[in-house]
Amino acid sequence: MIIVVKNTYKIYYIVFFLALFFSKAIAEPTFVQSKSLDSNFYLGLNFNNDGTKMYTVNAGASDAVIEHILTTPYDISTAIVNNTFGVSRGGDTQATQVVFNNDGTKMFIVNHGNQKEIDYWSLTTAFDISTATHDGAFSISGQEARANSVAFNNDGTRMFVVGAGNMSQHRIHEYSLDTPYDLSSTVTHLNTEDLSSSHNYLDGITFNYNGTKMFIINSNQDRISQFKLTTPYDASTLSLEGNFDVSSHDIQPREMAFSNDGSKMFFIGDKNDKVFEFNLSCNWSVIDGACDDPITTSDGGKDILSSIESQTATAKQIVIHATTPVLNRMYWLRRHRANDKLSNQNIKFNFSNSMMASLSKVVPVSNKTNDVLDKLSDNWSFWSEGSVSIGKTGDTSTSSSKDISSKGITIGMDKKISKNKLYGYALRLGRDRVDVGSSGSWLDTTSNSLSFYGTFPQDDERFIEGILGIGTLKTDTLRKTTTNYHAGERDGAQVFGSINYFTIYEKEKFNFAPNLRIDLSYTELSKYRETGSTALVYKNQIIETGMISTGFTVSDVLDFDSLTFKPNGGLEIGLDFSPSSDATYRYLSETTEYTKSIDQDSKNIRANIGFDLITEDGLSIMTIYERNQSDNSHSDTLYLGFGYIPDDNSEYALTFDNDKASLNYNRDLNGFDIKMSSNYNFMGEIPDYGANLEISNKF
């Protein structure tokens, strides 16, 4: 038995070290496929912005750029020749590379031959080489005897040319352009980086999306060299990270290209006249070793950071959305504290979600029997409030913009103990949507919360309001890049609380109430992983929030013959003292973790204006428009609540069946039975609502 155990452990260790070895090996590019070209002497390779077109350069007799259509983006097996455009201008042209400006309206051809130039062309149709017109040529003869490849930085103000002055000189030349992508403007040679001591015959040059990595093809040594640049697009700060040997595919590599998100690498070989496609386990990395932080090395890095920020901010906003309707309710009660019956509603729940079903059981409800709406006890008052919110957070240098929308319904009940003292609880269902950037990434969060609240008077003018709540949330995520969709699903749980102290000053029907409020919350988001070839894995994230706010509310009463109108408003200034929240993540294929600290502290201004409308038969309508402005974001929210104090001739009920709500109202009016009903799917993407009216009488 002991021997078996020992052997088992030996096997375990062998498997463990083999796993380590092979996990390291798969960090290198994974060969996918190759595409044979229709003739020989191919030197150049590039793609348009979305990978639906591929361009190769034939430096042979045709001396032309060949445009291929890819029916599947960045899938070279789907490439079909669409156009061939000759770029020879007489003499020894020998074109070796083609590049474009960002919008595809300019094309640049490297003239490898005796002319020692970079030819530039205008395209009347973006990325359509058949519409190209030659504009001029920029000579590099002062720096280099022979040019092989050219690249630009992401705004076109820097140009890089690699060449071979002779067989012993292998250099990178850096130029500045006064006008982006305009070689007819002032172009200044900045510096030369000589790689002759370590590299033999430089052919291709390209950068990752932000210039922190540079890639060079060393054609005589059959390898692709990867460099790190400590200063983006500054070749003088380069340091070699490693090399990727391509000799098993082609012994004369010439040019390389990447997909826009850096998850695929391609190179073209002169010996076999093929294009080779590779998947990268680490975006923008062709060498062994740990991946770099995807936020800084992926062209979707801004979306990744924005998604992390959005999940953090959404957890915070859900707490605000859960507490604000309760605060609105208590504010409404203060304006109507002289009434005994306050928004009495007949509410029925039916939820398929087990958690929501269990939460809803704490709310005493009446059931409909034979379409007769039973009325609840006068001891409890019921209320509901719906909200719709839209907002936006602006783009920054590191994070994409965010378009935010939210909607929800809150149902509550409370019981008056005295004129100014009450307690109750509220149930909220919400949905928050964040559209990230412009690539199609998004987050969709559904939330449920249960809040307990109460008002505790110190005397007739001074009050303390308290809220204590719990909640759950579920977030579906989609991160879209040029070549991949990365989907994920994440759960979360929350606890939150709020204490509000205020003093009421009344003069006749005018009311002024300054306040001081503290809001606290604790949220834990579960770990989750994305789908896709370059998926990210996220660890648990803790989000703690704290806010102190001070401001005031005002209200007035205007009485009319058949209704009462109560305008109201408020202003608050808040100081967010929430600590930063750390999000930890890694590539699925790697073990190295990265941590991003999300700052939450900010200053906020919240202003609102609204009114209460109360009819003579007891129907109450409450609406509030609220504007919330912080450092780099804002939101606009509309709250709408209905209440009704029934009399002997009317019946009222509100039913919630999963995501659908229905309202029923019956009234006996001078012997006529009036029945009104409506329904609304408040959580659906597409509005779904309807209404019905019946009038009947017995003769």
Side-chain angles (χ1 to χ4, degrees):
M1 180 68 181
I2 296 175
I3 294 175
V4 173
V5 172
K6 286 183 177 179
N7 288 337
T8 301
Y9 275 107
K10 286 181 180 180
I11 294 172
Y12 171 82
Y13 285 124
I14 292 171
V15 172
F16 175 77
F17 284 112
L18 284 174
L20 269 183
F21 174 80
F22 285 110
S23 68
K24 197 70 172 178
I26 64 170
E28 284 193 341
T30 303
F31 175 69
V32 177
Q33 60 188 333
S34 62
K35 174 73 174 181
S36 296
L37 304 174
D38 56 358
S39 59
N40 59 6
F41 207 29
Y42 276 89
L43 302 181
L45 176 68
N46 217 323
F47 293 85
N48 69 341
N49 290 341
D50 61 5
T52 57
K53 286 188 176 183
M54 179 178 73
Y55 306 87
T56 56
V57 178
N58 188 309
S62 64
D63 214 19
V65 178
I66 295 90
E67 178 183 297
H68 309 254
I69 299 294
L70 278 67
T71 55
T72 301
Y74 294 112
D75 183 353
I76 61 175
S77 68
T78 67
I80 302 170
V81 175
N82 182 58
N83 203 349
T84 299
F85 184 78
V87 293
S88 175
R89 296 192 301 110
D92 184 15
T93 301
Q94 200 176 87
T96 61
Q97 175 62 328
V98 55
V99 299
F100 299 88
N101 67 341
N102 290 337
D103 62 6
T105 58
K106 290 182 180 290
M107 179 175 69
F108 303 87
I109 303 293
V110 177
N111 187 335
H112 174 80
N114 292 333
Q115 294 172 333
K116 308 176 184 64
E117 294 173 342
I118 308 295
D119 291 308
Y120 48 95
W121 308 66
S122 294
L123 280 66
T124 54
T125 302
F127 295 106
D128 183 352
I129 61 174
S130 67
T131 67
T133 303
H134 187 259
D135 293 330
F138 174 77
S139 175
I140 61 164
S141 59
Q143 294 81 42
E144 193 60 79
R146 172 176 297 190
N148 291 336
S149 185
V150 65
F152 293 86
N153 68 342
N154 50 15
D155 65 3
T157 59
R158 289 285 191 275
M159 180 176 70
F160 303 84
V161 177
V162 297
N166 53 51
M167 295 308 293
S168 63
Q169 293 180 323
H170 312 286
R171 299 170 297 194
I172 304 170
H173 302 280
E174 183 176 350
Y175 303 81
S176 68
L177 283 66
D178 278 6
T179 304
Y181 296 106
D182 186 358
L183 296 183
S184 67
S185 66
T186 301
V187 180
T188 305
H189 180 256
L190 298 178
N191 60 66
T192 299
E193 289 299 315
D194 195 337
L195 302 181
S196 303
S197 62
S198 57
H199 290 68
N200 188 354
Y201 206 84
L202 307 181
D203 243 317
I205 181 173
T206 191
F207 296 85
N208 68 338
Y209 86 105
N210 64 357
T212 58
K213 289 185 183 293
M214 181 178 71
F215 304 88
I216 296 284
I217 282 194
N218 191 337
S219 60
N220 280 359
Q221 295 173 318
D222 307 324
R223 69 190 189 190
I224 298 173
S225 298
Q226 177 175 310
F227 298 85
K228 181 180 180 180
L229 279 64
T230 54
T231 301
Y233 295 109
D234 185 350
S236 67
T237 67
L238 62 82
S239 59
L240 181 65
E241 290 189 307
N243 301 289
F244 175 51
D245 190 337
V246 299
S247 59
S248 62
H249 303 284
D250 201 299
I251 58 173
Q252 287 185 341
R254 294 297 187 180
E255 287 287 349
M256 86 204 81
F258 292 84
S259 62
N260 268 354
D261 64 354
S263 64
K264 287 182 175 291
M265 187 269 291
F266 309 83
F267 83 87
I268 193 167
D270 178 26
K271 185 69 175 177
N272 296 323
D273 293 312
K274 292 182 177 180
V275 178
F276 300 88
E277 177 184 339
F278 299 81
N279 285 334
L280 304 181
S281 56
C282 300
N283 289 356
W284 302 105
S285 181
V286 301
I287 61 174
D288 252 348
C291 302
D292 290 326
D293 189 341
I295 289 178
T296 59
T297 59
S298 166
D299 79 337
K302 292 181 65 175
D303 283 2
I304 295 173
L305 178 56
S306 186
S307 176
I308 294 172
E309 292 174 340
S310 297
Q311 293 183 58
T312 306
T314 297
K316 190 176 185 176
Q317 285 301 311
I318 287 173
V319 172
I320 295 174
H321 293 321
T323 57
T324 300
V326 178
L327 292 170
N328 290 341
R329 167 63 177 175
M330 291 189 287
Y331 184 26
W332 189 93
L333 291 171
R334 295 201 301 270
R335 300 194 299 270
H336 300 269
R337 55 180 174 166
N339 296 341
D340 292 326
K341 296 182 179 181
L342 299 169
S343 296
N344 199 334
Q345 296 181 356
N346 186 24
I347 305 176
K348 180 184 178 181
F349 300 95
N350 182 28
F351 297 121
S352 59
N353 181 282
S354 58
M355 178 173 292
M356 293 305 302
S358 62
L359 289 176
S360 66
K361 289 179 181 178
V362 304
V363 181
V365 300
S366 65
N367 297 315
K368 294 186 287 181
T369 305
N370 298 323
D371 294 328
V372 177
L373 305 176
D374 299 327
K375 287 178 277 188
L376 293 169
S377 169
D378 292 338
N379 293 330
W380 288 93
S381 295
F382 291 81
W383 60 276
S384 63
E385 182 176 296
S387 64
V388 178
S389 177
I390 58 174
K392 186 177 182 66
T393 300
D395 183 86
T396 69
S397 60
T398 57
S399 177
S400 303
S401 62
K402 297 174 269 294
D403 292 307
I404 306 163
S405 62
S406 175
K407 53 187 176 182
I409 185 77
T410 303
I411 315 138
M413 60 177 296
D414 42 50
K415 184 175 183 180
K416 286 184 73 173
I417 301 174
S418 64
K419 177 182 177 181
N420 296 318
K421 188 175 183 179
L422 62 89
Y423 68 92
Y425 38 89
L427 186 67
R428 184 182 188 274
L429 294 81
R431 184 171 183 176
D432 292 72
R433 169 90 177 198
V434 182
D435 291 303
V436 176
S438 58
S439 63
S441 302
W442 51 260
L443 299 91
D444 200 323
T445 303
T446 56
S447 59
N448 311 307
S449 63
L450 179 65
S451 302
F452 301 87
Y453 61 94
T455 300
F456 311 97
Q458 307 302 295
D459 50 42
D460 284 343
E461 289 79 32
R462 296 177 299 140
F463 299 84
I464 295 176
E465 295 173 339
I467 303 172
L468 181 64
I470 58 175
T472 62
L473 57 150
K474 179 181 178 182
T475 300
D476 294 317
T477 69
L478 181 69
R479 180 168 60 89
K480 185 180 178 182
T481 64
T482 305
T483 57
N484 289 295
Y485 290 85
H486 303 280
E489 185 178 295
R490 192 176 207 178
D491 296 325
Q494 298 180 310
V495 292
F496 53 89
S498 177
I499 298 177
N500 185 34
Y501 176 82
F502 62 93
T503 303
I504 296 177
Y505 298 96
E506 291 182 314
K507 185 175 182 179
E508 297 180 350
K509 297 181 180 181
F510 182 78
N511 184 298
F512 174 77
N515 74 293
L516 178 68
R517 191 174 77 252
I518 297 177
D519 298 283
L520 302 171
S521 73
Y522 177 91
T523 303
E524 183 172 355
L525 302 180
S526 68
K527 61 183 180 181
Y528 81 106
R529 55 163 290 183
E530 300 175 330
T531 60
S533 59
T534 55
L536 296 176
V537 179
Y538 292 83
K539 297 181 72 174
N540 288 25
Q541 183 181 351
I542 303 300
I543 305 167
E544 298 172 319
T545 67
M547 171 102 53
I548 184 169
S549 307
T550 184
F552 63 88
T553 59
V554 294
S555 64
D556 202 357
V557 180
L558 302 175
D559 290 316
F560 300 93
D561 291 340
S562 59
L563 57 86
T564 300
F565 184 74
K566 296 187 177 183
N568 57 84
L571 178 66
E572 276 190 352
I573 299 175
L575 177 63
D576 194 333
F577 57 87
S578 305
S580 59
S581 176
D582 291 339
T584 302
Y585 49 94
R586 63 175 176 85
Y587 281 106
L588 179 62
S589 59
E590 293 287 324
T591 58
T592 302
E593 294 182 337
Y594 307 93
T595 299
K596 183 65 179 179
S597 186
I598 307 300
D599 293 329
Q600 299 190 88
D601 58 316
S602 63
K603 298 180 179 65
N604 302 271
I605 298 177
R606 183 164 70 173
N608 62 73
I609 186 170
F611 64 85
D612 298 338
L613 190 65
I614 306 169
T615 65
E616 60 180 355
D617 61 355
L619 179 65
S620 172
I621 301 174
M622 183 277 295
T623 184
I624 297 174
Y625 165 74
E626 181 178 279
R627 173 79 172 196
N628 200 324
Q629 184 79 45
S630 60
D631 296 338
N632 189 40
S633 64
H634 70 270
S635 64
D636 298 278
T637 307
L638 180 66
Y639 298 94
L640 184 64
F642 293 94
Y644 188 75
I645 304 173
D647 58 30
D648 293 337
N649 297 317
S650 62
E651 295 174 336
Y652 173 92
L654 186 64
T655 302
F656 290 89
D657 189 352
N658 293 310
D659 292 342
K660 296 183 178 180
S662 62
L663 174 67
N664 297 273
Y665 173 67
N666 295 353
R667 177 161 185 157
D668 182 1
L669 184 63
N670 296 327
F672 286 88
D673 292 327
I674 301 176
K675 297 182 179 181
M676 292 184 292
S677 63
S678 66
N679 63 83
Y680 181 61
N681 186 349
F682 58 88
M683 301 294 284
E685 290 287 345
I686 302 174
D688 179 16
Y689 51 85
N692 184 60
L693 173 64
E694 296 181 20
I695 302 176
S696 62
N697 193 9
K698 294 182 180 179
F699 298 93

